[in-house]
Amino acid sequence: QVELVESGGGSVQAGGSLRLSCEAPEYTFRRYCIGWFRQAPGKEREGVARFYFGGRLIYYDVAVKGRFTLSRDDAKHTLYLQMDSLKPEDTGTYYCAAGPADLCSSQFGMPQASYNVWGQGTQVIVSS
């Protein structure tokens, strides 16, 4: 059973920052496409960020571009999401998910149905 473990969520005021971490088994980290998703209360889950083009480029959802930064530590098998200038609309549960490697070959979109392993999620609350 592949396990993804998210951490780093919390409560902050608007304008604040949080850094989320997603730790994966080494095999999963090296062989799968791993990305961040989020689900706001009452809304559908949406893709936030992932690498593509061999890890040299990053896809960001338009709502977070310029404020969130995706990075990785290969030695720790960990994916990070640095979230700056947080807004109340960033509130939600953040998940990392893994899927087939070819999901990271396209520069477009993050179809959640194609990601078949999900972490338990970490809660982010941004107050105004």
Side-chain angles (χ1 to χ4, degrees):
Q1 178 74 22
V2 175
E3 189 172 302
L4 304 175
V5 180
E6 304 101 331
S7 61
S11 294
V12 296
Q13 291 194 324
S17 298
L18 286 171
R19 188 175 82 153
L20 306 183
S21 301
C22 171
E23 186 174 355
E26 181 178 4
Y27 182 85
T28 302
F29 193 79
R30 298 191 184 284
R31 300 297 185 110
Y32 285 68
C33 179
I34 302 177
W36 283 101
F37 290 78
R38 67 181 181 182
Q39 187 167 20
K43 295 189 176 181
E44 291 190 2
R45 194 154 48 187
E46 60 184 6
V48 175
R50 62 161 170 82
F51 287 100
Y52 69 98
F53 196 48
R56 293 188 286 276
L57 296 175
I58 301 173
Y59 162 87
Y60 291 105
D61 181 78
V62 63
V64 307
K65 203 166 186 178
R67 300 186 298 120
F68 289 13
T69 304
L70 185 69
S71 64
R72 58 190 289 163
D73 185 328
D74 290 349
K76 295 182 178 180
H77 326 138
T78 300
L79 195 68
Y80 299 102
L81 187 67
Q82 177 67 40
M83 306 187 297
D84 298 316
S85 302
L86 282 161
K87 303 176 181 180
E89 50 264 44
D90 295 318
T91 293
T93 303
Y94 284 69
Y95 301 89
C96 65
D102 61 3
L103 291 173
C104 279
S105 62
S106 170
Q107 62 179 320
F108 301 113
M110 293 179 66
Q112 61 166 319
S114 298
Y115 289 76
N116 48 17
V117 180
W118 293 81
Q120 81 286 354
T122 186
Q123 187 80 8
V124 171
I125 300 172
V126 185
S127 57
S128 57

